[in-house]
Amino acid sequence: MKLDRILPFARILLEKAVQPGDITIDGTMGNGFDTVFLAGLTGENGHVYSFDIQKEALQITAAKLMAENLQGHCTLIHDGHEQLSKYIRKEHSGKITGAIFNLGYLPGGDKSIITQADTTISAIEQLFEMLAPEGIIILVIYHGHPGGATERDALMDYVQNFPQQKAHILKYGFINQANTPPFIVAIEKRA
């Protein structure tokens, strides 16, 4: 297959936006894969803020960071991403170049604990103000679970009405696959 699958495409977008020394956000820590990936992109002079409401996610992610010797420049936060403005250091505001949210539930975890449109939109609004020019927010929208379609619809309504003069917004996904495949919405702050 020549087309990039969803998660590899999300990483391609992050690789274009994030350089060593940059500040990044993992809005949904989960099993730590994106936190580790961002830590590799930012390097030891950068910083990754990573959020999750489930203690299990922090434990899994901390172990992955330790195994890769990347824990020194990552802050793992046991709180919802809608609280991100409480945790981002003031000197990092305006310098965030990349962020990713994998929406839905923690793979292998409690499927009744899911992301919600109102908290995700709140996080996007706060984060957008802290983005560097040409910084990018990536939403990987999983919507095939109970509650997923409600979140998807609210997010799509939000991004479709986002002011064009403030951001470029892209939707990327496969349209002929069964079982409600995930898709990406990427928000790039205009320079």
Side-chain angles (χ1 to χ4, degrees), residues 26-36 49-65 76-79 81 100-109 113 115:
D26 183 350
T28 52
M29 188 184 317
N31 285 315
F33 295 109
D34 289 329
T35 300
V36 169
Y49 293 93
S50 191
F51 294 82
D52 211 294
I53 60 170
Q54 296 181 73
K55 194 168 190 78
E56 175 186 0
L58 276 76
Q59 295 165 343
I60 293 167
T61 301
K64 281 190 169 101
L65 290 168
L76 305 184
I77 300 160
H78 186 213
D79 206 347
H81 49 233
I100 188 164
F101 295 74
N102 278 287
L103 304 175
Y105 56 84
L106 174 64
I113 302 172
T115 54

Side-chain angles (χ1 to χ4, degrees), residues 46-114:
H47 198 84
V48 180
Y49 293 93
S50 191
F51 294 82
D52 211 294
I53 60 170
Q54 296 181 73
K55 194 168 190 78
E56 175 186 0
L58 276 76
Q59 295 165 343
I60 293 167
T61 301
K64 281 190 169 101
L65 290 168
M66 289 275 269
E68 299 287 330
N69 198 29
L70 293 170
Q71 69 277 10
H73 59 285
C74 296
T75 302
L76 305 184
I77 300 160
H78 186 213
D79 206 347
H81 49 233
E82 73 277 12
Q83 302 297 327
L84 66 86
S85 62
K86 286 178 21 183
Y87 296 97
I88 307 304
R89 295 197 314 246
K90 290 197 188 312
E91 65 267 22
H92 289 165
S93 185
K95 297 179 181 175
I96 297 168
T97 58
I100 188 164
F101 295 74
N102 278 287
L103 304 175
Y105 56 84
L106 174 64
D110 182 348
K111 292 182 180 179
S112 70
I113 302 172
I114 62 171

Side-chain angles (χ1 to χ4, degrees), residues 85-150:
S85 62
K86 286 178 21 183
Y87 296 97
I88 307 304
R89 295 197 314 246
K90 290 197 188 312
E91 65 267 22
H92 289 165
S93 185
K95 297 179 181 175
I96 297 168
T97 58
I100 188 164
F101 295 74
N102 278 287
L103 304 175
Y105 56 84
L106 174 64
D110 182 348
K111 292 182 180 179
S112 70
I113 302 172
I114 62 171
T115 54
Q116 302 290 329
D118 59 337
T119 58
T120 300
I121 290 169
S122 175
I124 293 166
E125 289 175 341
Q126 294 170 58
L127 181 53
F128 188 81
E129 296 305 315
M130 298 179 199
L131 279 181
E134 297 185 338
I136 191 166
I137 300 169
I138 298 169
L139 308 172
V140 183
I141 301 175
Y142 293 87
H143 55 106
H145 59 279
T150 301

Side-chain angles (χ1 to χ4, degrees), residues 140-162:
V140 183
I141 301 175
Y142 293 87
H143 55 106
H145 59 279
T150 301
E151 182 178 34
R152 174 201 63 211
D153 293 347
L155 286 169
M156 291 307 296
D157 183 59
Y158 174 74
V159 298
Q160 287 170 346
N161 289 297
F162 203 90

